[in-house]
Amino acid sequence: FLPRESSLRVTAGADEDCDFAFELDQTLDPIHVVITYHQGFKGWMVTEEEKTNFGTQVDGERLGEGRPLMLQDRQVVKLGGGLS
């Protein structure tokens, strides 16, 4: 459960300081994605921070670097390698 606050920023990546840290995954960037709550749309947005490594998929579709995507219920977000 995450509170619906626009100031909340959840990070996932290879950096040990990420909220979801996968330090041993060499296919991830230090901060691979950021998830934030968008007050206006009343939903969660996922944004890929950098694209120096493998990408991110949401329900099998590549996420564009720096282009936020509004997440829908039960969507699967897949980070890093093994995407193809």
Side-chain angles (χ1 to χ4, degrees):
F1 173 78
L2 295 172
R4 294 179 177 146
E5 299 172 3
S6 59
S7 62
L8 184 64
R9 175 183 153 107
V10 178
T11 58
D15 191 292
E16 65 182 29
D17 293 330
C18 284
D19 299 300
F20 294 97
F22 304 97
E23 298 170 48
L24 300 178
D25 191 338
Q26 297 178 354
T27 67
L28 299 182
D29 291 304
I31 298 177
H32 199 82
V33 295
V34 175
I35 299 172
T36 54
Y37 185 75
H38 192 284
Q39 222 40 49
F41 292 124
K42 298 189 184 318
W44 294 97
M45 307 287 286
V46 61
T47 307
E48 192 171 63
E49 286 292 286
E50 303 174 26
K51 203 168 204 162
T52 60
N53 239 325
F54 291 84
T56 303
Q57 285 188 3
V58 177
D59 282 347
E61 296 290 322
R62 284 258 186 193
L63 185 63
E65 178 185 357
R67 300 183 74 197
L69 175 72
M70 176 72 73
L71 292 173
Q72 305 299 318
D73 242 1
R74 303 191 189 285
Q75 281 188 305
V76 176
V77 179
K78 198 172 185 184
L79 310 178
L83 298 178
S84 45

